[in-house]
Amino acid sequence: NWTMAEFVDKELIRIKALVGDEGQVIGAVSGGVDSTVAAKLMKEAIGDRFHAVLVDNGLLRLNEAESVRTTLTQGLGINLTVVDATERFLTALKGVSEPESKRKIIGGQFIEVFQETALKISAEAVGPPKAGKIDWLLQGTLYPDVIESISFKGPSATIKTHHNVGGLPANMNLKIIEPLRELFKDEVRILGTKLGISESLVWRHPFPGPGLGIRILGEITPQQLRIARQADHIFIQEINDAGLYRNISQAFAALLPVKAVGVMGDKRVHEQVIALRAVETTDFMTADWYPFDGAFLKRVSSRIVNEVEGVCRVLYDVTSKPPGTIEME
Ligand code: XMP
């Protein structure tokens, strides 16, 4: 793609000029498309003077922190720090079940952890031979986000408080750098491919910042996390195996905070319920539930009930957006 090649050249020159020969940049990454593409672009422009930070909030999917680490470091050569803040997040979330409270706690902890990490990396970056501490913050803002924040000031913006990566670390005085701010999502994918990022990453479904925290309805405990992780993993694996991943915009398993009765073997059980959700959408503002065939749902349901301890029923969510939202909290 010749236009994109031109974009890359121009953007690399712009970043280098902006940051200078000694400037240091920090940015949060999630393993998602936008932050990975932005990070790779920074790596191409300034190498290890770009510091990526992955905050493991303990609410990521099965093996996710490790696989993001491998992809970003070994795969893309990005200078990455992974912070395992699981304990801290789970402690702060103890006893909390109200969805907006969970979001606020997760968002607040994220900003604190990121800020502490930024200060630490910045302190280490000072001193010879590499003069200068960190003075730039990378944000993976896309064009639609720019438009939304200009035109979207009404109450509709706060139906759910979406926290996106990158609360500005206070008392560091960081300047913002946004290399994707002129691009739409499909262009970010083309750019990602051009930068050598794998197809599977470039086409990854979005995953919300609060992670499994808003897919475990009610209180988040290590036990609930285990169930949600295993069920989600089976669902996504079956979607991949059936060749359906790219037909679906977003899919996940949610863990409901209720118990139902079932029979396993010859024993009566009273266990939890998993809800599967899969949607097709172009803009995530409206969405339709995905029409799986019966055999597929049967296979997923039987695997989850048999393989995930603590689950005796599986439901499929057939609610469109609106009136439903994509997430269940
Ligand atoms: P809803 O549930 O509002 O989701 O229909 C629309 C899209 O936004 C994602 N989402 C979030 N992303 N923080 C995020 O970073 C959040 O709190 C959040 N809530 C929803 C959701 O996964 C879907 O892609």
Side-chain angles (χ1 to χ4, degrees), residues 103-124:
R103 272 201 176 73
K104 286 205 181 89
I105 290 168
I106 296 166
Q109 289 292 326
F110 175 86
I111 290 172
E112 277 183 28
V113 172
F114 182 68
Q115 209 159 287
E116 286 170 20
T117 311
L119 285 168
K120 220 161 98 193
I121 293 176
S122 190
E124 285 161 6

Side-chain angles (χ1 to χ4, degrees), residues 100 103 159-165 205-211 214-215 249-250 252 277 279 281 283-287 321 324-329:
E100 279 306 288
R103 272 201 176 73
I159 290 172
K160 286 178 184 177
T161 49
H162 287 198
H163 90 274
N164 263 320
V165 209
H205 294 169
F207 183 65
I214 55 170
R215 293 177 176 178
S249 310
Q250 197 168 355
F252 58 88
R277 181 115 169 102
V279 297
T281 173
D283 59 4
F284 293 88
M285 304 293 283
T286 63
K321 174 182 179 176
T325 51
I326 293 173
E327 301 295 341
M328 292 185 74
E329 277 193 342

